[in-house]
Amino acid sequence: MDAQLKILDIHEVPLVCRACDARHSGICSTLTPLQLTELNKHSQRRAVEAGTELIGQGQQVHSYSNILRGVIKLSKIMADGRQQIVGLQFAPDFMGRPFLGESLMAAEAATDAELCVLPRKILERMISESSELGSRLHNQALTELDEARDWMLTLGRKSAREKVASLLVLVAAHADPDRLGACAFELPLSRADIADFLGLTIETVSRQMTKLRKDGLIHIENNRQVYVPDLDKLAVTAGGD
Amino acid sequence: MDAQLKILDIHEVPLVCRACDARHSGICSTLTPLQLTELNKHSQRRAVEAGTELIGQGQQVHSYSNILRGVIKLSKIMADGRQQIVGLQFAPDFMGRPFLGESLMAAEAATDAELCVLPRKILERMISESSELGSRLHNQALTELDEARDWMLTLGRKSAREKVASLLVLVAAHADPDRLGACAFELPLSRADIADFLGLTIETVSRQMTKLRKDGLIHIENNRQVYVPDLDKLAVTAGGD
DNA sequence: TCTCATGCTTGATCCAAGTCAAAGTCGCTA
DNA sequence: TAGCGACTTTGACTTGGATCAAGCATGAGA
């Protein structure tokens, strides 16, 4: 295989991960052409439908993924079945917890999704070879930590109404990052998922959604299509800040 | 100064951060002698008493620290004053959020503490020069992320009793990492801090502590001295797992 | 077209934790 | 050694969100 690598002219080496394609802004852009070629031999695109469990809590980790499309939910389950979603990952996030053999939580596709799957061993070798890749993943970990701590404030100190508004603001931010006035998007989560993310019950989520609707802060169609006439106002009811 | 560096024999260069000292297991052990010498010119030991604010939410970050002794609490405050502690840092943790000019939360000494303070610019240069240092901080970030997500489960899905038990187990783990049966420790937090960490009120924390006491799961003296006769049993009432 | 499953909403009731208020406890200083 | 202030506990009452129990859409399959 080494021989095969060497005879490739550098300009013929694909400059982006074959499975991910050029638009993808994940980790691939930090790799050298040689590393990409190596990765191309092992990475593969995978399409999954909503509800597919990608890995279970406590299972062995064999791969990492770039998320190309869709939303993945990360959740923890207690012995008696209580569940908490501890993170949402949107394209083009990198998904996975480097340097740990066993997953501390479950990952499940919240929507239909597409992934670029990278074998664990290969990626970990690349991290040790490319400090730019390492620092990129370091930065993603720090961003996720910031987000987790923001959410701790939401879970610990906000009312149900503020929690639901916070979730809508979060999703809106990912759907349309720089929109400040009105915006429209599709909710990637069911009411049950929202409840698990906010530490509430389905019924409470539903009631708060209706209240926000009656207060004119949001419009909803077909349970999932959300229109927010004034994102600032919604952000204020989410707890200001 | 370069001249001064060069005339030092390598064996005379202190192999540990002067301010931190040899026992310290923080970031210093990943640096080369030259880097340590450079760091020694700028790092300084700082003793602070309980209650000292080290940095406020939204303030500019000028330094990072190794925690040599004591406990630091990281907290977020909402506009109306509601507060949530989003992390506790124990010695010998590294404290600080690399690559971000502005602090997203406040840091305050929960107990009397000692720090080894490192200027931001110097440390960030060293991170870019030493991939081992970078990967060490990467790992710390990942560990903090794991802890934050664990705590999200506690905040979102546990009862007040389970929350208080969880906190006691957490502190016990840091006080005496491998003790499984009985253990004793001093609480580094006031009731108000505990409430802010657990998303509860002072009164509820107090009531749950008395209940745990009456149930024989813990003994408390002088509000802060805790004795746990059976850590496993406490861990079970903290929510198993 | 009916039925059944799934997911969402709405209503009635209950309870865990919050709020308000008072009374300990301890250390510090005068 | 009395008095003050900070912290903690305890009690009485209130309330926000959970629980239990119907209803209401929508869509798939028979």
Side-chain angles (χ1 to χ4, degrees):
Chain A
M1 320 177 187
D2 275 345
Q4 205 188 357
L5 269 187
K6 278 171 193 150
I7 60 168
L8 277 173
D9 183 278
I10 193 74
H11 297 295
E12 292 179 323
V13 173
L15 282 174
V16 293
C17 170
R18 189 186 50 191
C20 295
D21 95 29
R23 297 188 321 274
H24 173 47
S25 62
I27 59 167
C28 296
S29 61
T30 67
L31 299 173
T32 65
L34 269 182
Q35 288 176 314
L36 271 169
T37 308
E38 172 69 6
L39 196 61
N40 269 348
K41 283 192 270 177
H42 303 281
S43 69
Q44 51 179 321
R45 214 172 174 121
R46 181 179 174 203
V48 295
E49 56 181 16
T52 308
E53 179 171 281
L54 302 172
I55 189 167
Q57 193 168 341
Q59 269 179 227
Q60 284 301 115
V61 178
H62 297 298
S63 65
Y64 301 114
S65 301
N66 282 319
I67 302 172
L68 305 179
R69 188 172 59 80
V71 179
I72 309 295
K73 55 188 206 212
L74 307 175
S75 59
K76 290 185 173 262
I77 310 188
M78 292 173 66
D80 60 7
R82 281 176 286 177
Q83 188 170 11
Q84 175 69 45
I85 293 181
V86 297
L88 288 182
Q89 309 226 254
F90 297 80
D93 285 353
F94 169 81
M95 187 182 70
R97 200 299 193 184
F99 316 126
L100 202 67
E102 174 174 315
S103 179
L104 299 172
M105 56 215 171
E108 185 182 322
T111 64
D112 292 348
E114 256 179 301
L115 308 172
C116 171
V117 181
L118 317 166
R120 184 177 163 215
K121 296 290 178 196
I122 308 267
L123 189 78
E124 286 183 354
R125 175 148 43 79
M126 284 186 182
I127 294 176
S128 67
E129 283 166 4
S130 154
S131 73
E132 201 195 335
L133 176 56
S135 97
R136 182 146 186 168
L137 292 177
H138 186 183
N139 261 295
Q140 161 141 354
L142 289 167
T143 302
E144 285 181 36
L145 182 56
D146 293 341
E147 289 167 356
R149 286 175 166 162
D150 263 344
W151 210 250
M152 286 173 72
L153 179 63
T154 300
L155 288 174
R157 289 302 184 197
K158 291 188 184 173
S159 68
R161 181 186 172 89
E162 290 171 322
K163 284 180 175 181
V164 172
S166 297
L167 175 96
L168 293 168
V169 169
L170 176 77
V171 174
H174 277 275
D176 208 342
D178 28 47
R179 188 70 72 85
L180 284 176
C183 71
F185 53 87
E186 182 174 349
L187 265 184
L189 302 177
S190 68
R191 299 291 185 272
D193 286 337
I194 295 174
D196 280 342
F197 195 28
L198 295 172
L200 299 171
T201 59
I202 308 178
E203 293 94 326
T204 299
V205 170
S206 177
R207 276 185 254 270
Q208 296 303 329
M209 297 270 263
T210 350
K211 272 193 197 162
L212 292 175
R213 195 150 33 78
K214 285 183 178 161
D215 294 349
L217 285 162
I218 55 172
H219 297 247
I220 303 185
E221 247 158 77
N222 300 329
N223 290 335
R224 296 276 189 138
Q225 295 300 328
V226 180
Y227 172 72
V228 182
D230 185 345
L231 194 52
D232 278 338
K233 208 183 282 180
L234 190 63
V236 169
T237 82
D241 176 80
Chain B
M1 322 178 185
D2 274 347
Q4 205 190 355
L5 267 188
K6 279 170 192 151
I7 60 168
L8 277 172
D9 182 278
I10 191 74
H11 297 297
E12 292 179 323
V13 174
L15 282 174
V16 293
C17 170
R18 188 186 50 191
C20 295
D21 95 28
R23 296 189 322 274
H24 173 46
S25 63
I27 60 168
C28 295
S29 61
T30 67
L31 299 173
T32 66
L34 269 181
Q35 287 176 315
L36 271 170
T37 308
E38 173 70 6
L39 196 62
N40 269 347
K41 283 192 274 180
H42 302 282
S43 68
Q44 50 179 324
R45 213 170 174 123
R46 182 180 172 201
V48 296
E49 56 182 13
T52 308
E53 180 171 281
L54 302 172
I55 189 166
Q57 192 169 342
Q59 270 179 224
Q60 285 301 116
V61 177
H62 297 298
S63 65
Y64 301 114
S65 301
N66 281 320
I67 303 172
L68 305 179
R69 187 173 59 80
V71 179
I72 309 295
K73 55 189 205 211
L74 307 175
S75 59
K76 290 185 173 261
I77 310 189
M78 292 174 67
D80 60 7
R82 281 175 285 176
Q83 188 170 13
Q84 176 69 45
I85 293 181
V86 297
L88 288 183
Q89 308 227 253
F90 297 80
D93 284 353
F94 169 82
M95 187 181 70
R97 198 300 194 184
F99 317 125
L100 202 67
E102 174 174 316
S103 179
L104 298 173
M105 55 214 172
E108 185 184 322
T111 64
D112 293 347
E114 256 179 302
L115 308 171
C116 171
V117 181
L118 317 165
R120 183 177 165 217
K121 297 290 179 195
I122 308 267
L123 188 79
E124 285 184 355
R125 176 151 41 81
M126 284 186 182
I127 293 176
S128 68
E129 284 166 4
S130 155
S131 74
E132 202 196 334
L133 176 56
S135 97
R136 181 146 184 169
L137 292 176
H138 187 183
N139 261 296
Q140 162 142 354
L142 289 167
T143 303
E144 286 181 36
L145 183 55
D146 293 340
E147 289 167 357
R149 286 175 166 163
D150 262 343
W151 210 250
M152 286 173 72
L153 179 62
T154 299
L155 288 173
R157 289 300 185 198
K158 291 189 185 174
S159 69
R161 180 187 173 89
E162 290 170 323
K163 284 180 176 182
V164 171
S166 298
L167 175 96
L168 293 168
V169 169
L170 176 77
V171 174
H174 277 274
D176 208 343
D178 28 47
R179 188 71 72 85
L180 285 176
C183 71
F185 53 87
E186 182 174 350
L187 265 183
L189 301 176
S190 68
R191 298 293 185 271
D193 287 337
I194 296 174
D196 281 342
F197 195 30
L198 296 172
L200 299 171
T201 59
I202 308 178
E203 294 94 327
T204 300
V205 170
S206 179
R207 276 185 253 270
Q208 296 304 329
M209 296 271 263
T210 14
K211 271 194 199 164
L212 291 176
R213 195 150 31 78
K214 285 182 178 161
D215 294 348
L217 286 161
I218 55 172
H219 297 246
I220 303 186
E221 250 158 75
N222 301 328
N223 290 334
R224 297 276 189 137
Q225 294 300 329
V226 180
Y227 172 73
V228 182
D230 185 345
L231 195 51
D232 278 339
K233 209 183 282 181
L234 190 63
V236 169
T237 81
D241 176 78

